[in-house]
Amino acid sequence: MILSFFDQFMSPTHLGIPLIALALSLPWILIPTPTNRWLNNRLLTLQAWFINRFTQQLMLPINLGGHKWAMLLTALMLLLITLNLLGLLPYTFTPTTQLSLNMGFAVPLWLATVVIGMRNQPTAALGHLLPEGTPVPLIPVLIIIETISLFIRPLALGVRLTANLTAGHLLIQLIATAAFVLLPMMPTVAILTSVVLFLLTLLEVAVAMIQAYVFVLLLSLYLQENV
């Protein structure tokens, strides 16, 4: 029983071929694309409004030099939200529960922000490793601590997204299994458990969107430090 709970996090394969690439590419088909018409429908208008508002809020504290990242971060936000929400559907696979995929998103983008900082303003980038006014005996220790915290950032990004989604999926499956088992024995308790399951599903929808936003927001903060 314990192993079956974690089977949902295994990457699906068909004839020995991993289907994670298919799971990553199909969500883009569901996103409506703009048309050449003068007036768009309500869905396209709502999508354009959401993208514009999100991009404005994300780029507000960043200098003009960092606005080149607007399209990349917005596309990453849409991809993560779509993958997280589609993963809540029955009999689906959530690629963002894989730590390797999340680290594949986090490490290159974090490294790009560090390289940009070292190239554009190396003094300020290295200055983050040593807070101003530090006593001389604590300088070596603080440099080591700040360097470790700098390299932990991409790990924290990937682990945070993976852990939150994995915990939510496990809770949903555990409560759904409990409701199914209790239905013939204690129908009233099973109904109450189903209500809890419904509320938890709504919570997981919010978590799926919030975690995607937090992932991109932290990347924008790292970019802000180095631009």
Side-chain angles (χ1 to χ4, degrees):
M1 179 63 73
I2 296 177
L3 291 177
S4 64
F5 285 151
F6 291 92
D7 287 345
Q8 60 178 319
F9 304 117
M10 295 175 60
S11 180
T13 58
H14 182 67
L15 299 177
I17 302 174
L19 300 180
I20 189 170
L22 188 63
L24 287 172
S25 57
L26 281 180
W28 290 111
I29 302 175
L30 303 177
I31 299 177
T33 55
T35 62
N36 294 326
R37 299 177 181 177
W38 286 4
L39 294 177
N40 292 323
N41 56 30
R42 291 183 178 88
L43 182 60
L44 285 174
T45 304
L46 181 62
Q47 175 184 278
W49 175 84
F50 169 75
I51 292 176
N52 288 333
R53 291 294 299 172
F54 171 74
T55 307
Q56 289 175 5
Q57 292 296 324
L58 194 66
M59 295 291 114
L60 190 61
I62 301 178
N63 297 334
L64 289 177
H67 289 188
K68 302 173 185 177
W69 286 60
M71 184 178 295
L72 174 63
L73 294 178
T74 304
L76 180 62
M77 170 77 171
L78 290 176
L79 176 64
L80 291 178
I81 284 183
T82 309
L83 289 176
N84 294 348
L85 292 179
L86 288 179
L88 294 174
L89 296 176
Y91 302 104
T92 56
F93 170 67
T94 313
T96 45
T97 56
Q98 305 295 311
L99 182 60
S100 57
L101 177 71
N102 295 333
M103 293 301 293
F105 284 141
V107 173
L109 294 174
W110 164 82
L111 187 59
T113 62
V114 174
V115 170
I116 287 175
M118 294 297 294
R119 186 187 65 180
N120 294 340
Q121 43 183 10
T123 304
L126 294 175
H128 291 301
L129 301 179
L130 185 62
E132 187 176 356
T134 304
V136 176
L138 296 179
I139 287 179
V141 178
L142 278 179
I143 290 178
I144 294 174
I145 293 175
E146 291 296 330
T147 304
I148 293 174
S149 66
L150 177 66
F151 283 98
I152 283 178
R153 283 180 174 182
L155 182 62
L157 279 177
V159 170
R160 180 186 295 106
L161 184 59
T162 303
N164 280 283
L165 295 180
T166 303
H169 283 66
L170 283 176
L171 273 176
I172 288 177
Q173 187 168 2
L174 285 170
I175 296 178
T177 304
F180 181 76
V181 171
L182 291 173
L183 186 59
M185 297 182 294
M186 292 179 286
T188 306
V189 179
I191 292 174
L192 293 176
T193 308
S194 301
V195 173
V196 174
L197 177 62
F198 176 72
L199 296 177
L200 179 62
T201 304
L202 293 181
L203 177 64
E204 283 305 312
V205 171
V207 168
M209 294 186 288
I210 291 172
Q211 288 303 316
Y213 175 72
V214 168
F215 189 92
V216 177
L217 179 64
L218 289 176
L219 280 176
S220 69
L221 294 178
Y222 300 157
L223 177 65
Q224 180 184 354
E225 290 182 359
N226 293 285
V227 173

